[in-house]
Amino acid sequence: MKTITLKPGKEKSLLRRHPWVFDGAVAKGGGDPGETVRVHSAEGQFLAWGAVSPSSKIRVRVWSFDEAQRIDAAFFRATLSIAVSARGLFDIKSNGVRLVHGESDGLPGLVVDRYGDTLVAQFLSCGTERWKQQIADALLELTGLTRLYERSDASVRELEGLPRVSGWLRGQGDTAVVLQEHSWQLALDVAEGHKTGFYLDQRDNRQAFFEAARHARWGQVLNCFCYTGGFTVAALAGMRAAGMRPEEGHVTSIDSSGPALDKGRGNVALNGFDASQTTWLDADVNTSLRAFEREGRRFDAIVLDPPKLAPTAAHAERAARAYKDLNRWGFKLLNPGGMLFTYSCSGGIGVELFQKIVASAALEAGVDAFITHRLGGAPDHPVALPFPEGEYLKGLVVVARPLK
Ligand code: SAH
C-alpha cells in the first residue's frame, strides 16, 4: 500500500473530515491514477484512505477516515446502498432522482441520476474511474435496473487527466426519456442534455413556482436561462390550475442553447399547453433584458437561473458583479408587486454574499423589495456537514413593493 505524507500542520482539514487533499499539502508520496493510498500526517498519524489524482490540484479524494476500512467492491456497494436508501426518506414527487451526489454521499467525483428506468452516471475523478465497473454493478443491483448511461464528458475530467467519454455502460436502447415531475412531464435525452440531461436540483423550486403562479395568477412571466423550460411548464401548469384562460397568461423564455429551446417547445406541447402562451428567445439574457427595459416591457414574475458564474471562491468577486448586473435588470423589469425568483448555483458564492448582491441590485434599480422565501437544492442533493461547498444552489424569492 502506497502512502502520502502531508506537510506539518496540513492534517487539520482531514481531521475535520473534509474529503480533499490539495497538492500543496503533500510533503511526499503518490500513486497511480485512482490508486488507493494511505494518507498520514507529518508525524505518521493515520488520517484517511483516498484515491490519487496525480495531475489534479485536488491530489487525493477521501474514501474513508476509518483505518480498518478496506476499499474494495464491498465498500462501494455499502456506500452506494446508504446513498440510495437516503432517497427513500423523502416523498420525491418525480421519477427523476439524484441517487448519488458526490462528496456529500461519501463518493467524491461520482454523480448518479435516475430517470425512470435509466441510470445516468458521471465518473469525474481518477478514483471513480478506477472503480467504475464495480460501481456500475452495485448500482444495477441496488436499483433493480438494467440500463446505465455514462456521461463522463464534463470538462473537469481534463483536470484529472481523463478523456471525455459517453455511451451505454450497461444495457442499451433509446436515450430519450420522459420525466413525470409533480403534475407535469418533461422530456430529455440522457445522451445530449447538460450534465446528465436535466437539472433535478431545481425540482422543489419548480413546484414552488407552480404554487406561486397558481395563487398570484401572473399574466406575464419571464424565464431567464430556461434550458428545456422546466420553470416555463411549471408556470403554465399553475395558470391552468388557477382556471386562467390561455390568453390570460404568457411565459417568455430565454436561453442561448437552440437545442434546449426546441426541447422546451416540445415540453409545452407534451403537457397540452397552447403554444401561443409562450415565446422562446434564442438569445443572450443580458442583451434581452436591456432590450426589454428600452421597450418598456414589464413582468409579474421573473426567474433568473444563470449557469455557475463562480465555480470557486477565487472567482467570487468577478462573479458577484455579474450577478448584481443581472439582478438589477431583473428588478427593473418587475411590475409593482412582481416576484423575482433569483438563483445562484456557484459553490464560490455563499448564501449571505448572495443576499448582499441581490440587496445592492435592488438598491441600484431603485426598487424596494422584501424576501419571502429562501430556496435551495432538493433533498436528493444533500450537503455533507464537513463539506459546505456542497451547498451550491441557493435561491431567493423577492417581492417588489409597492403592491398593487
Ligand atoms: N432553469 C433551468 C436550468 C438553467 S441552467 C432548469 O430549471 O432546467 C443555465 C442555462 O443558461 C443553460 O441552459 C445555458 O444554455 C444557459 N445560458 C448560459 N449563458 C447564457 C446567456 N448568456 N444567455 C442565455 N442563456 C444562457
Side-chain angles (χ1 to χ4, degrees):
M1 181 63 63
K2 291 183 189 161
T3 297
I4 281 185
T5 307
L6 301 189
K7 292 176 185 165
K10 293 294 184 188
E11 67 281 5
K12 293 202 185 73
S13 69
L14 287 180
L15 291 173
R16 287 196 306 268
R17 294 190 169 229
H18 188 281
W20 294 348
V21 177
F22 286 96
D23 58 348
V26 175
K28 62 174 196 278
D32 297 329
E35 190 176 357
T36 302
V37 291
R38 183 191 166 92
V39 182
H40 65 207
S41 69
E43 292 76 33
Q45 178 196 3
F46 170 86
L47 296 167
W49 299 112
V52 185
S53 294
S55 65
S56 170
K57 276 195 145 8
I58 305 176
R59 185 56 43 89
V60 179
R61 289 178 175 79
V62 171
W63 294 130
S64 173
F65 294 97
D66 174 4
E67 191 168 8
Q69 178 67 57
R70 278 178 58 108
I71 307 305
D72 53 14
F75 163 79
F76 287 98
R77 194 194 172 284
T79 311
L80 288 165
S81 171
I82 293 169
V84 171
S85 302
R87 276 59 187 177
L89 297 171
F90 303 94
D91 183 12
I92 295 174
K93 300 272 192 257
S94 175
N95 60 353
V97 179
R98 173 147 299 189
L99 294 180
V100 182
H101 191 47
E103 279 74 358
S104 293
D105 281 305
L107 294 166
L110 181 68
V111 169
V112 183
D113 288 335
R114 174 183 184 155
Y115 297 115
D117 69 354
T118 305
L119 295 172
V120 188
Q122 293 182 302
F123 300 88
L124 301 173
S125 62
C126 290
T128 52
E129 179 74 17
R130 158 77 180 73
W131 293 97
K132 187 188 282 183
Q133 302 306 331
Q134 292 84 347
I135 289 170
D137 289 340
L139 282 167
L140 294 192
E141 189 206 323
L142 290 164
T143 59
L145 299 178
T146 56
R147 293 179 0 131
L148 190 157
Y149 196 88
E150 178 178 9
R151 281 295 303 272
S152 302
D153 52 8
S155 58
V156 291
R157 289 263 302 187
E158 276 156 30
L159 302 177
E160 294 282 307
L162 297 169
R164 300 192 192 197
V165 200
S166 66
W168 288 109
L169 194 58
R170 296 287 186 275
Q172 58 185 334
D174 196 357
T175 53
V177 288
V178 174
L179 273 192
Q180 177 67 51
E181 183 185 272
H182 303 296
S183 56
W184 49 78
Q185 294 187 312
L186 295 161
L188 60 107
D189 192 319
V190 301
E192 285 167 16
H194 295 176
K195 306 209 284 185
T196 63
F198 192 59
Y199 293 89
L200 291 172
D201 51 0
Q202 290 281 23
R203 181 193 314 111
D204 292 2
N205 302 331
R206 281 188 284 273
Q207 176 69 7
F209 201 58
F210 160 84
E211 297 288 357
R214 181 175 62 166
H215 191 75
R217 303 176 69 92
W218 297 322
Q220 289 291 331
V221 174
L222 178 62
N223 182 7
C224 299
F225 309 97
C226 66
Y227 188 48
T228 57
F231 285 111
T232 303
V233 167
L236 293 172
M239 292 169 185
R240 182 159 68 188
M244 291 167 66
R245 292 191 305 275
E247 61 276 19
E248 290 178 309
H250 194 93
V251 186
T252 302
S253 310
I254 313 175
D255 203 281
S256 55
S257 158
L261 294 172
D262 287 340
K263 275 263 174 324
R265 287 187 195 92
N267 282 331
V268 165
L270 183 64
N271 290 277
F273 300 118
D274 201 318
S276 68
Q277 280 190 278
T278 58
T279 303
W280 301 89
L281 299 176
D282 185 347
D284 169 54
V285 163
N286 296 280
T287 311
S288 303
L289 297 187
R290 282 173 175 74
F292 289 159
E293 163 68 3
R294 279 197 306 275
E295 295 159 10
R297 299 247 342 240
R298 295 295 181 267
F299 300 89
D300 303 309
I302 299 178
V303 178
L304 297 175
D305 186 20
K308 189 161 57 185
L309 301 176
T312 71
H315 306 79
E317 206 176 303
R318 237 184 63 208
R321 277 197 294 277
Y323 281 114
K324 192 176 72 178
D325 282 348
L326 195 59
N327 280 276
R328 189 181 59 232
W329 287 107
F331 279 119
K332 279 176 185 264
L333 295 174
L334 276 185
N335 276 323
M339 299 171 79
L340 185 66
F341 291 72
T342 182
Y343 298 96
S344 162
C345 60
S346 294
I349 303 241
V351 183
E352 278 182 44
L353 175 58
F354 187 54
Q355 181 170 331
K356 277 188 191 149
I357 293 168
V358 173
S360 50
L363 193 67
E364 287 184 14
V367 170
D368 238 354
F370 50 86
I371 295 170
T372 57
H373 295 76
R374 295 167 186 283
L375 306 173
D380 49 340
H381 296 65
V383 182
L385 287 170
F387 189 68
E389 298 93 322
E391 193 174 2
Y392 64 102
L393 181 63
K394 54 226 50 128
L396 294 173
V397 183
V398 189
V399 179
R401 280 196 288 223
L403 299 181
K404 273 187 275 189

